[in-house]
Amino acid sequence: MIKMPGLSRIVQVGLLAVIAVSPTQFSIEVFEKTHLSIVDPLIWLVAAIRLIDIFRKRSFSTLKPPHLSIVLFVGLFAVSVFKSANFQGSLKNLFQLTEYFLVAYILFNEASADDVFLKRAAIVSLVTAVCVIALAVVQYLTPSLELFRVSGSFGNRNVLGGFLALVVPLMFGVVVSDTCFIRRVMLSFIIIAALLVTLSGATMIALVISLLLLSCFKGRWTFPLATAVILA
């Protein structure tokens, strides 16, 4: 048998790559109204490598099944496909739901047992978010671009807003918890920049509520800090 050492490490590197390339809507139309994003083949490749590693080591018991709620969610959508007016489109959506909520979930859930991977994943997520926010700020400051065209690496401002609604509260959590003053200051400026380019009303409301709630639970001095950041 040909030895293939380090497959688990390759899987982890692949998952970090998935995190890095996920925040984009760039895709290629492979069939009519069927688009293939950058992250799709990457997830397939990582899943294939992991399967090879499992068969090679015969370590089937190491796979952690997804939570029952996720299985039921995908299963309910699968049932609805047969009643859909657009069967082909629904089938494509079912494939992607399975890919993201089952395949990717299982891969990340398994890798999360490694503390080193979690630390690296957090760093890659933070750097990726900063890059997306920086791109949106550049777009925001470009005079020739309409403000409501500011979308970062996404297709429109609403999808960018959805992304910011996920990452900004996490950044703020680091700000109020970290002991490093320099990191706290840098992340505070990044959060202000993210709020600056948030041009989706629903996202702004969600961010204001989440930041204020996080600050209330942390301590009496964090609430004025969060209010100052939001007002800025």
Side-chain angles (χ1 to χ4, degrees):
M1 181 182 294
I2 300 175
K3 291 186 177 182
M4 292 178 288
L7 286 183
S8 297
R9 185 174 298 274
I10 294 174
V11 169
Q12 290 191 357
V13 172
L15 291 176
L16 294 177
V18 169
I19 295 174
V21 303
S22 289
T24 177
Q25 285 182 281
F26 176 78
S27 60
I28 301 172
E29 187 172 12
V30 290
F31 302 108
E32 185 179 359
K33 297 182 180 179
T34 302
H35 293 79
L36 188 69
S37 69
I38 301 174
V39 76
D40 290 322
L42 189 54
I43 291 177
W44 304 340
L45 179 61
V46 174
I49 294 173
R50 181 60 189 132
L51 280 176
I52 293 172
D53 193 34
I54 289 173
F55 279 105
R56 186 170 65 93
K57 296 178 179 177
R58 293 179 173 82
S59 55
F60 301 98
S61 60
T62 60
L63 281 177
K64 298 179 181 180
H67 195 273
L68 179 61
S69 59
I70 298 177
V71 176
L72 291 175
F73 169 67
V74 176
L76 184 62
F77 190 90
V79 173
S80 69
V81 169
F82 297 99
K83 288 291 185 179
S84 174
N86 183 2
F87 180 78
Q88 182 178 349
S90 296
L91 203 61
K92 180 206 72 171
N93 291 334
L94 175 61
F95 180 82
Q96 288 189 314
L97 277 178
T98 303
E99 175 186 340
Y100 298 143
F101 285 89
L102 290 181
V103 178
Y105 178 93
I106 290 172
L107 290 171
F108 277 101
N109 191 33
E110 185 184 23
S112 64
D114 188 339
D115 291 339
V116 176
F117 171 79
L118 282 179
K119 183 178 180 180
R120 290 171 179 170
I123 293 172
V124 172
S125 299
L126 178 60
V127 171
T128 303
V130 170
C131 291
V132 173
I133 293 170
L135 176 59
V137 170
V138 171
Q139 294 172 349
Y140 185 88
L141 298 176
T142 302
S144 59
L145 187 70
E146 295 181 21
L147 283 183
F148 284 103
R149 298 292 182 184
V150 174
S151 57
S153 58
F154 299 96
N156 57 67
R157 68 183 188 277
N158 293 319
V159 182
L160 171 64
F163 174 76
L164 295 177
L166 292 173
V167 299
V168 170
L170 294 175
M171 289 182 179
F172 186 75
V174 176
V175 169
V176 298
S177 303
D178 202 347
T179 55
C180 178
F181 178 75
I182 296 177
R183 271 199 302 265
R184 295 175 70 178
V185 171
M186 291 176 60
L187 281 174
S188 295
F189 279 110
I190 293 170
I191 291 172
I192 292 173
L195 293 175
L196 178 71
V197 297
T198 300
L199 301 173
S200 169
T203 298
M204 182 58 74
I205 293 172
L207 285 176
V208 169
I209 293 173
S210 61
L211 295 186
L212 291 179
L213 283 176
L214 281 171
S215 64
C216 287
F217 285 115
K218 191 60 186 175
R220 63 178 182 175
W221 294 111
T222 53
F223 184 80
L225 172 64
T227 305
V229 169
I230 292 169
L231 289 174

